[in-house]
């Protein structure tokens, strides 16, 4: 039997392109003849019945905006067995028969638990971290990278003018993808990621000294959030090399801004796929990108997968940053 009423929510950290996914879910669901409910502030909204019925125009003028028009939250109450039961009960009372959950792996654990309580859920990967093992790509990653590159380019202007070294921290939790790709794009002398251990002398100081001998006068060092410690690192570099060094944490600025084409398209296609699955009565799935194609996997299996860091790309980055 086809699902008649579905809902869509965004959960965890917002990511540019989430709006494209929400829009695609609403438009697909409605065009299939389903009722589509928007849930405000993620699982928190389910617990509080903060839900409204969407129409085709509810999602107008959002595709080009960053953030999430449905708002988002982290809900400690939902992360308890009683919270999940209460949310499932609310869904039954409101006639919600399936939910598209747009977020990261924490949100997918919620989606899996809610499915076990009888409300079929489909996950859509939306996070700037690109840290979902089962998917090559997560919505928001491209915009965040481009923002980080723009910010580091600005830093570079001042770093270059003063013959300084800039140590820049980018987001990504325990995943080094954002740092790696940003580091390549800004020509960083060194990129530090949590997946690869580093030695202060060999991987930072020696590389700086080598490039200095060949005429380099300013340095950019990109550090993933999962490595952290940029203030101390900057101090240590200055002490060791005598080169004036400044630390910058880019922070939440990386999460905002108008989504890039890639994130609008990824959000649109993934959102469509998720609504289509619920229409066909399929739950406990997550929509992922594999070999450039949008496909779906069992949530439980997807959550057990381990992410593989692109060591080859990292090695290339180091070879050309001299
Ligand atoms: O998961 C996205 C992310 O921006 C991470 O890169 C970062 O570690 C975290 O969220 C920050 O979370 P909050 O917005 O709760 O400070």
């Amino acid at each position: 039997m086809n699902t008649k009423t579905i809902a869509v929510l965004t959960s965890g950290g917002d990511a540019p392109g989430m709006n494209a996914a929400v829009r695609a879910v609403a438009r697909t669901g409605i065009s299939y003849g389903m009722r589509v409910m928007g849930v405000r502030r993620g699982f928190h909204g389910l617990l509080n019945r903060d839900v409204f019925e969407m129409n085709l125009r509810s999602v107008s003028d959002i595709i080009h905006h960053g953030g999430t028009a449905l708002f988002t939250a982290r809900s400690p109450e939902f992360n308890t067995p009683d919270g999940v039961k209460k949310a499932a009960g609310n869904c039954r009372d409101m006639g919600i028969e399936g939910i598209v959950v747009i977020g990261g792996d924490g949100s997918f654990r919620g989606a899996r638990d809610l499915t076990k309580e009888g409300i079929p859920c489909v996950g859509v990967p939306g996070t700037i971290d690109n840290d979902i093992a089962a998917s090559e790509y997560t919505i928001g990653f491209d915009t965040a990278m481009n923002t980080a590159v723009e910010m580091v380019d600005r830093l570079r202007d001042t770093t270059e003018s003063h013959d300084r070294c800039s140590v820049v921290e980018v987001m990504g939790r325990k995943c080094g993808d954002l740092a790696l790709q940003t580091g390549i794009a800004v020509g960083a002398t060194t990129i530090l990621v949590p997946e690869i251990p580093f030695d202060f002398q060999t991987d930072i100081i020696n590389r700086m000294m080598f490039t200095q001998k060949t005429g380099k006068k300013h340095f950019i060092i990109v550090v993933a959030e999962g490595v952290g410690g940029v203030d101390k690192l900057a101090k240590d570099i200055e002490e060791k090399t005598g080169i004036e060094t400044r630390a910058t944490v880019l922070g939440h600025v990386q999460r905002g801004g108008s989504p890039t084409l890639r994130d609008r398209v990824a959000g649109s296609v993934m959102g469509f796929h998720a609504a289509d699955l619920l229409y066909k009565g399929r739950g406990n799935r997550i929509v992922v990108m594999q070999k450039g194609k949008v496909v779906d996997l069992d949530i439980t299996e997807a959550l057990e997968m381990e992410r593989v860091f692109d060591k080859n790309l990292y090695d290339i980055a180091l070879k050309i940053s001299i």
Side-chain angles (χ1 to χ4, degrees):
M1 200 184 80
N2 289 334
T3 305
K4 294 290 189 314
T5 300
I6 65 167
V8 55
L9 61 83
T10 52
S11 160
D14 59 301
M18 278 182 164
N19 282 332
V22 170
R23 173 178 177 270
V25 172
R27 296 255 168 101
T28 306
I30 292 168
S31 70
Y32 281 0
M34 297 190 287
R35 283 176 80 215
V36 182
M37 313 299 282
V39 183
R40 293 188 193 89
R41 296 183 179 81
F43 295 118
H44 182 75
L46 268 191
L47 289 168
N48 295 292
R49 304 189 181 207
D50 192 358
V51 171
F52 63 100
E53 182 165 353
M54 298 177 115
N55 60 42
L56 291 175
R57 299 280 71 80
S58 310
V59 287
S60 294
D61 300 321
I62 63 169
I63 194 165
H64 59 301
H65 286 303
T68 161
L70 286 179
F71 304 95
T72 185
R74 306 190 197 278
S75 169
E77 188 188 353
F78 182 78
N79 285 333
T80 63
D82 285 348
V84 179
K85 278 194 176 64
K86 180 176 167 191
N90 284 349
C91 288
R92 274 187 281 276
D93 290 350
M94 293 184 286
I96 295 171
E97 297 159 276
I99 306 179
V100 176
V101 174
I102 305 166
D105 54 2
S107 311
F108 297 157
R109 280 191 283 279
R112 175 200 58 198
D113 296 346
L114 208 46
T115 305
K116 282 190 187 145
E117 286 298 328
I119 307 297
C121 293
V122 174
V124 170
T127 162
I128 65 160
D129 299 337
N130 206 37
D131 61 350
I132 305 295
S135 188
E136 283 161 9
Y137 189 74
T138 62
I139 299 161
F141 182 53
D142 189 57
T143 308
M145 279 190 297
N146 279 290
T147 304
V149 167
E150 190 193 328
M151 294 300 133
V152 181
D153 283 349
R154 284 166 192 247
L155 271 178
R156 191 192 192 104
D157 290 344
T158 169
T159 305
E160 193 174 345
S161 303
H162 286 263
D163 293 333
R164 279 178 176 162
C165 171
S166 263
V167 182
V168 192
E169 182 186 303
V170 300
M171 276 186 167
R173 274 187 211 276
K174 291 185 180 147
C175 179
D177 285 19
L178 196 47
L180 174 58
Q181 305 237 8
T182 303
I184 292 173
V186 301
T189 304
T190 289
I191 304 167
L192 305 181
V193 293
E195 293 88 345
I196 314 263
F198 73 96
D199 176 71
F200 176 67
Q201 183 65 40
T202 316
D203 300 310
I204 301 177
I205 303 302
N206 292 358
R207 287 181 70 83
M208 284 176 70
M209 296 294 98
F210 176 80
T211 54
Q212 200 182 37
K213 276 194 201 120
T214 59
K216 196 168 174 58
K217 293 193 175 57
H218 63 278
F219 308 86
I220 304 280
I221 296 178
V222 174
V223 181
E225 179 184 26
V227 174
V230 286
D231 285 326
K232 173 151 191 335
L233 209 51
K235 198 165 153 277
D236 292 349
I237 290 170
E238 186 164 312
E239 258 173 37
K240 193 83 183 183
T241 62
I243 299 166
E244 269 193 325
T245 304
R246 298 286 187 267
T248 305
V249 177
L250 291 188
H252 287 77
V253 72
Q254 294 159 97
R255 285 233 299 255
S258 178
T260 58
L261 174 148
R262 186 167 189 201
D263 284 324
R264 296 181 198 196
V265 174
S268 299
V269 177
M270 286 178 162
F272 163 81
H273 196 101
D276 189 62
L277 282 170
L278 286 182
Y279 177 70
K280 291 171 178 156
R282 305 193 63 202
N284 207 43
R285 309 293 294 171
I286 76 163
V287 177
V288 295
M289 187 150 329
Q290 286 189 343
K291 298 189 179 139
K293 296 247 174 306
V294 172
V295 295
D296 55 275
L297 301 173
D298 178 86
I299 294 189
T300 314
E301 284 172 24
L303 283 172
E304 278 162 9
M305 291 168 77
E306 274 194 34
R307 204 172 146 70
V308 183
F309 183 69
D310 193 345
K311 177 72 170 48
N312 185 42
L313 189 59
Y314 186 80
D315 290 341
I316 293 172
L318 291 190
K319 279 205 182 71
I320 58 179
S321 304
I322 53 170

